[in-house]
Amino acid sequence: MIKFNKIENGEIFTRDFRPLVKHNEIDFPTTEAIAVIYGPNGTGKTSLIKVLSDKEGTKIEYEYNEQKQTIGKSVFHIINDQNNRNIIRGDTKDFFLGDNIKREFELQEFIISERANIISAIVSLLKTHGISAANSPLIDLILIPDIAALIKDIANKQSQGKKHTTEDLIAILQTISVVKIQEFDEVKLQFLKNDITDKDSIIRKIEGISAKPLTSNPHVHQIEENTEAISILNRFHKDQCIVCDTTDINWETLLASKIRNKEKVIEALSEDVKNLIAKIINLVPTADPFQIKPRLVEAISQGDNANIITLLQEVEECKMFYYHLVLNDLSALISASELPSKVAEYQALIDEKPEITQEDMLYIEEIISNSMRKSLTLKRDENKNLKIMLSDREVLGKSREELPLSTGEQNFLSLTFEFLKAKNSAYPLVVIDDPVSSFDSIYKNKVVYAIVKMLHSKKRIVLTHNTDLLRLLDSQYSNCYKLYLLNNTDGEENGFIALNDNEQEMLISLEKLLSTFRNSIFEHIKNIELFLISMVPFMRGYANITNNVNAYGKLTQLMHGYKTDKVDVAAVYISLFGNKDSIIPNSYEISVADILSKTVDGVHILDQSQYPVLDKTLRHSFTYLFLRLMVEKKLVDKFNINTNKHRLLGQIINAAYPNENDIAEIRNRIRLTSKKTLINEFNHFEGNLSIFQPAIDITDQALGKERTDIVTFVSNL
């Protein structure tokens, strides 16, 4: 059972719906778990769908499985608007289940998620190693081109690894051989990373001169000495030495001398060495873990590259350490991930033929393919993605114009795939809005079969204003649903009003209805005269179908307002349905004038506790008959209409107001012919004997308003 405590959509639902405390429970039979909510146009079925779908401006409170809910989408899978959607919306996984297919999509989702996790982890790892962009010079220290390209792709903020497939990512990372790393000097490693990323790298400058012969310059030490002296003299401007207190040193002359000496030594150096000396001159021991400055100065002083070569060997060892450190960390990431094994499993699955569950396969073959005589299959495209194909054309997400289908086939395919999607969804309740309204009789049966058979594992709420659907459901599986009438009218009983089992059977089955009129109805009649009068239209339709010419002719005298004959309606009823326990009097003669003297206001024709809807139906039926007779009689008398020529109400109205150019006459003609009570409703009795239709298709309030309009019109003639 589901219990609604609030249903709100602007001002569409009456105040009774917020909060909803009566007629607020919908129960599901144990057989097929279907609840049908019948509501004529205008009662709020579409608005109810919006509430259950959590549309903006709506509110809902309900209880299901002992849990209070305020979100419709937590429980309800909604199927509506099948006429306006594309053929099939969604992904293949939304529609089909099978162990392999289900596993395939589970793996696909895992792979996408885990790849993103690994990419994110690699980005973080690279940052710890000093690589934060695709143009980082540190990437040049990665000696394997494929790994370097992968790192560059992942470090690129725009690409973030998109140039490499997941398979590429795994293959490249799995080629890494882990190397055992000995203890290392962290200070040297940090110096290397900082220097390599510097545009004016010292190491790159040293590498640039390492292969060139050095010219000996024993005065190179003086460059640093003169640089320090120049700095001190410029700072203190004193003629007394700040170290030894010697006086009269003439600091200006000394400064000029130091500058000349420094320039002279530098001038003797090559351009490469000049730039390098300028770069390293300010290195101090704590910032020079490789001892670059003393080694370089010594090499230049002696004109010997040996010290530089030794230095670069140490730098190379540090580079190799950095390289292995990065690769080891990358290898650890992929080794700790399930991504490789899941990708392998996924590849194996997509290389196989997709296997649909037997139930889904039967659904495709028996309900869809056979119904449309077109082949519906599941195939893979060139990228191994699953596609739903109809006559070798993909249908997922396609517009209606793209497929060779009639409108009926389009609607049927769209709706039945929605059923398949609902069947395989996680939601326990499926809400289906008016599923058969756009179909012919053959497709209606197929749709109802799908509702019953394909969705048997779900609880279903079906919204409709079509009594054909009720009978079709019952014919597919007897007693498979519980029927509710949706009412949403101020001043009336509102909510989901359950029909008792007896009246539900009568509404569905003509045999049950007739059996009621022959047997069980008699002991529950409260007003025999009004019962017989209200039954006149139904009895006339039944007499017509059973070819009871005598009864049909007599009842016709009471169906036209201009007739004056007396008719024994009791005798007619007894001839048609019998008189169990002699409840009906042997004779009850009435005429049109007698009917027009009666009223059902404040009267119950039947026992409401046993036949609430049928009692309402008979009161509505009496009102329809009363209004029809009153209008016919008044128009015939007022306009002296020849009823031999104009026998039917529509003909009489046209004869009363024949002028096509007179606005007043046109308005009166339209006013009368547009009334539901005057023209439409008795067609049910003449055709399918749907006696309940007048009651369930109009509310008491709407009928009362229409009666007031008609009585006022007639009174003003």
Side-chain angles (χ1 to χ4, degrees), residues 79 82-83 85-88 363-374 376 390 400 405-420 435-436 438-451 454:
I79 299 176
Q82 68 268 18
N83 294 330
R85 68 167 63 93
N86 285 350
I87 294 298
I88 307 175
Y363 180 84
I364 294 168
E365 293 173 354
E366 298 299 326
I367 296 183
I368 299 178
S369 294
N370 290 349
S371 295
M372 299 188 302
R373 300 180 184 275
K374 291 179 173 66
L376 192 74
L390 178 68
R400 292 172 174 270
L405 298 170
S406 68
T407 299
E409 288 175 326
Q410 291 171 4
N411 293 344
F412 179 71
L413 184 66
S414 177
L415 181 58
T416 50
F417 259 91
E418 284 290 342
F419 291 164
L420 186 55
V436 300
S438 62
F439 296 111
D440 60 28
S441 59
I442 294 176
Y443 274 126
K444 282 180 181 178
N445 275 287
K446 295 177 184 295
V447 169
V448 171
Y449 177 82
I451 292 173
M454 290 300 107

Side-chain angles (χ1 to χ4, degrees), residues 338-541:
E338 292 184 84
L339 187 63
S341 62
K342 297 296 193 232
V343 167
E345 184 183 352
Y346 176 72
Q347 290 289 355
L349 279 178
I350 64 174
D351 287 339
E352 298 175 357
K353 181 181 178 181
E355 293 183 3
I356 309 171
T357 60
Q358 184 177 12
E359 190 173 31
D360 285 356
M361 199 66 235
L362 287 172
Y363 180 84
I364 294 168
E365 293 173 354
E366 298 299 326
I367 296 183
I368 299 178
S369 294
N370 290 349
S371 295
M372 299 188 302
R373 300 180 184 275
K374 291 179 173 66
S375 173
L376 192 74
T377 56
L378 192 62
K379 293 184 178 179
R380 296 191 187 278
D381 63 14
E382 64 277 6
N383 297 318
K384 299 289 188 177
N385 295 316
L386 286 174
K387 300 292 182 185
I388 301 173
M389 313 297 289
L390 178 68
S391 299
D392 294 325
R393 297 190 191 183
E394 185 183 352
V395 296
L396 271 180
K398 299 300 180 182
S399 65
R400 292 172 174 270
E401 295 77 16
E402 295 181 68
L403 292 175
L405 298 170
S406 68
T407 299
E409 288 175 326
Q410 291 171 4
N411 293 344
F412 179 71
L413 184 66
S414 177
L415 181 58
T416 50
F417 259 91
E418 284 290 342
F419 291 164
L420 186 55
K421 183 177 182 179
K423 169 186 175 294
N424 292 326
S425 76
Y427 300 101
L429 272 75
V430 179
V431 181
I432 310 167
D433 183 20
D434 205 15
V436 300
S437 61
S438 62
F439 296 111
D440 60 28
S441 59
I442 294 176
Y443 274 126
K444 282 180 181 178
N445 275 287
K446 295 177 184 295
V447 169
V448 171
Y449 177 82
I451 292 173
V452 175
K453 298 299 183 183
M454 290 300 107
L455 296 176
H456 66 87
S457 63
K458 302 285 186 180
K459 289 182 172 66
R460 285 140 286 172
I461 296 177
V462 182
L463 304 177
T464 188
H465 62 257
N466 194 320
T467 52
D468 285 346
L469 175 64
L470 308 181
R471 298 186 182 92
L472 289 171
L473 277 169
D474 193 70
S475 66
Q476 291 289 348
Y477 199 116
S478 182
N479 300 316
C480 70
Y481 66 90
K482 179 68 178 170
L483 179 61
Y484 296 82
L485 301 181
L486 173 62
N487 200 33
N488 176 27
T489 307
D490 279 325
E492 297 187 13
E493 290 278 303
N494 289 313
F496 307 104
I497 302 168
L499 270 71
N500 60 44
D501 292 341
N502 191 33
E503 288 197 308
Q504 179 170 322
E505 289 180 3
M506 291 164 60
L507 193 151
I508 297 167
S509 167
L510 179 59
E511 179 184 358
K512 177 64 178 177
L513 179 65
L514 296 176
S515 176
T516 299
F517 289 144
R518 292 175 182 135
N519 298 288
S520 57
I521 198 70
F522 295 103
E523 61 181 300
H524 300 291
I525 299 173
K526 295 296 183 182
N527 189 311
I528 291 178
E529 291 182 356
L530 290 178
F531 173 75
L532 291 171
I533 294 171
S534 64
M535 284 290 292
V536 165
F538 181 82
M539 288 193 294
R540 181 174 179 265

Side-chain angles (χ1 to χ4, degrees), residues 619-637:
R619 285 186 283 112
H620 281 204
S621 182
F622 175 91
T623 303
Y624 287 130
L625 178 60
F626 178 94
L627 294 175
R628 186 185 187 96
L629 296 178
M630 181 183 65
V631 171
E632 275 194 351
K633 178 174 176 55
K634 186 68 174 182
L635 292 179
V636 169
D637 292 346

